[in-house]
Amino acid sequence: MSKIKFYFILLIATVVTICSCNKDDDKDTPNVPAKPFAEQYPIDSLAIHNYLKTHSIVVTEKPGETADQDVKIDAILVGGTKPSIWSYLNSPTFPKLLYRNVELHGITYKLYYLVIREGIKDVSGVGGESPSNVDAVFAAYKGTLLDGTVFDSSDNGQNQFNLDGFKAHDGGAPVITGWSEAFPKFKTGQLVSNTNGTVAYANFGSGMMFLPSGLGYYNKADTKIPAYSPLVFSVKLYSVKRFDHDADGIPSYQEDVDPFHDGYMYVFAKGVENKDDTDKDGIPDFLDFDDDGDGYATRGEIKDANGKYYPYDGALVDDPSTPNINETYGIPRKYSLKYPNLPESETNPREPKPEDFTDPARLRRHLDPTCFPPYQK
Ligand SMILES: [Ca+2]
Ligand SMILES: [Ca+2]
Ligand SMILES: [Ca+2]
Ligand SMILES: [Ca+2]
């Protein structure tokens, strides 16, 4: 079976299931019957709001050590004066409590997340990257229930968590929906050491997620997590692994083609509008090997005259080994109709000016169904 088909079947099969993140074997604890989501969510929402208003945090600052950005959560006692997590709501400085709306299960979840520290880019351009909801992350985390019970944690930073809603693949484990919805709001740092299986990162993003049970395990129970438990995670986002689900040469996160490039891509039922589906065939671009539906595979449409793939946005430096290609050009707009048989080259005097590579608002040619692919017969 082709890789593309494999991925697509996986997605259809699992897109609305709730996966687990290192969940313990739950054979001994039967699941309780599933309630309507619209019935459970208001209960969770109230509990989460109450939690945010009655708990405070202390963050460990130990750069270079595993404990850096560990979060200690304390209940605020009556008369206590510590700032609640809620006091950081929309704060102009970090920590910042923010939320995003997640449309799922026929309701709108308000997913709160706290950005304690924003991951930053270093001088060489590493770090400060956000995963999309279909990438994988390397992260440390600690999961607690609202009563403070710790049900799971990992701080070695070597486990890969796939946010994409598929079953395990490419060395990563699937995660609960809330992780896929919240991790894109955090940013990565830089690997500074990797000795004897212990990794250390600097400048990584850290924070917390407050998940209603519908974005967690819902009615699935185990010995540590009762059914219908809202979940609190403190997280450290170390690094991101990008996928190219449809193997068309464009990483999935760059197939996030809605006008806002919001970092989220979904598969919807046919007939439901999907802003990340260029040709509206029901298959979003990140799973569609012919994004514009013109009968030519995207993979062939993003090659230059020498059969080399254009980088999506253009590389930082021009590769000196390919004198006829300027790698700082991303995938161009429609191929020149004036000189349809000439390679793009900044050295060829007959070559049209490369303005069609540089306009950031250009419609790249693999997304333009009127663009005849120059290198395919
Ligand atoms: Ca792709
Ligand atoms: Ca999107
Ligand atoms: Ca499509
Ligand atoms: Ca095409």
Side-chain angles (χ1 to χ4, degrees):
M1 191 188 298
S2 78
K3 197 172 181 188
I4 294 164
K5 227 176 182 176
F6 172 70
Y7 275 130
F8 192 64
I9 289 166
L10 268 183
L11 187 73
I12 293 299
T14 63
V15 70
V16 293
T17 62
I18 298 169
C19 303
S20 69
C21 66
N22 285 0
K23 195 155 191 249
D24 293 336
D25 192 332
D26 56 10
K27 275 188 216 124
D28 298 337
T29 315
N31 298 332
V32 299
K35 292 188 220 172
F37 290 101
E39 189 181 305
Q40 180 60 31
Y41 176 56
I43 299 169
D44 291 353
S45 177
L46 193 65
I48 288 171
H49 279 96
N50 183 52
Y51 180 91
L52 293 171
K53 289 170 183 172
T54 56
H55 288 77
S56 66
I57 56 165
V58 179
V59 181
T60 301
E61 298 286 348
K62 286 188 175 171
E65 293 185 27
T66 307
D68 188 32
Q69 300 299 297
D70 275 359
V71 174
K72 183 170 172 291
I73 308 167
D74 294 311
I76 302 172
L77 303 174
V78 176
T81 55
K82 282 186 177 171
S84 67
I85 301 171
W86 185 255
S87 72
Y88 306 124
L89 184 65
N90 297 320
S91 166
T93 56
F94 298 107
K96 271 182 207 188
L97 181 66
L98 303 167
Y99 70 85
R100 63 180 305 264
N101 291 330
V102 176
E103 311 282 343
L104 190 66
H105 306 138
I107 57 177
T108 303
Y109 292 102
K110 207 172 212 184
L111 166 52
Y112 285 97
Y113 58 96
L114 181 75
V115 182
I116 294 173
R117 183 175 81 177
E118 193 159 56
I120 54 170
K121 195 182 285 228
D122 68 8
V123 286
S124 61
V126 176
E129 249 188 295
S130 293
S132 77
N133 69 324
V134 296
D135 289 316
V137 295
F138 290 85
Y141 67 92
K142 184 163 83 172
T144 57
L145 305 178
L146 296 188
D147 67 5
T149 306
V150 177
F151 59 81
D152 194 9
S153 69
S154 167
D155 65 5
N156 68 18
Q158 294 185 317
N159 296 326
Q160 178 185 321
F161 301 102
N162 296 348
L163 306 182
D164 59 9
F166 299 122
K167 290 177 179 168
H169 68 90
D170 290 271
V175 300
I176 50 173
T177 309
W179 276 32
S180 306
E181 297 293 341
F183 260 114
K185 296 298 175 188
F186 294 93
K187 293 178 178 173
T188 60
Q190 301 93 37
L191 178 67
V192 287
S193 70
N194 186 350
T195 45
N196 302 327
T198 303
V199 294
Y201 285 80
N203 303 318
F204 53 83
S206 66
M208 301 178 77
M209 308 170 182
F210 308 91
L211 309 179
S213 60
L215 301 179
Y217 301 107
Y218 206 54
N219 64 316
K220 296 180 175 59
D222 78 2
T223 48
K224 290 182 178 169
I225 306 175
Y228 302 115
S229 296
L231 307 174
V232 175
F233 287 96
S234 59
V235 296
K236 308 176 191 182
L237 176 54
Y238 291 143
S239 66
V240 166
K241 179 174 176 179
R242 304 293 191 183
F243 291 131
D244 177 5
H245 291 90
D246 55 5
D248 64 0
I250 304 176
S252 295
Y253 79 102
Q254 289 178 321
E255 304 213 50
D256 176 22
V257 293
D258 72 79
F260 300 103
H261 310 298
D262 64 357
Y264 293 86
M265 286 153 275
Y266 300 97
V267 179
F268 295 134
K270 199 149 188 173
V272 178
E273 190 196 359
N274 189 334
K275 292 190 167 62
D276 296 310
D277 177 9
T278 295
D279 60 5
K280 307 295 174 201
D281 67 349
I283 304 171
D285 286 17
F286 82 102
L287 295 173
D288 193 339
F289 53 82
D290 176 11
D291 295 325
D292 58 1
D294 64 356
Y296 294 95
T298 299
R299 199 169 177 84
E301 291 182 284
I302 62 165
K303 283 180 185 170
D304 63 31
N306 298 320
K308 187 171 154 56
Y309 291 105
Y310 288 104
Y312 189 80
D313 276 328
L316 284 177
V317 290
D318 191 4
D319 180 352
S321 71
T322 53
N324 291 331
I325 309 163
N326 186 338
E327 273 82 11
T328 61
Y329 300 159
I331 300 168
R333 179 180 285 161
K334 182 181 280 198
Y335 187 71
S336 168
L337 294 175
K338 199 172 166 194
Y339 303 102
N341 298 314
L342 286 178
E344 298 93 335
S345 161
E346 67 266 48
T347 59
N348 187 333
R350 293 175 300 167
E351 167 61 23
K353 291 280 181 225
E355 72 277 354
D356 61 347
F357 294 84
T358 54
D359 174 3
R362 68 189 179 278
L363 180 61
R364 290 167 172 81
R365 63 187 183 195
H366 70 290
L367 299 178
D368 182 352
T370 70
C371 170
F372 182 76
Y375 308 117
Q376 293 219 18
K377 296 278 183 281

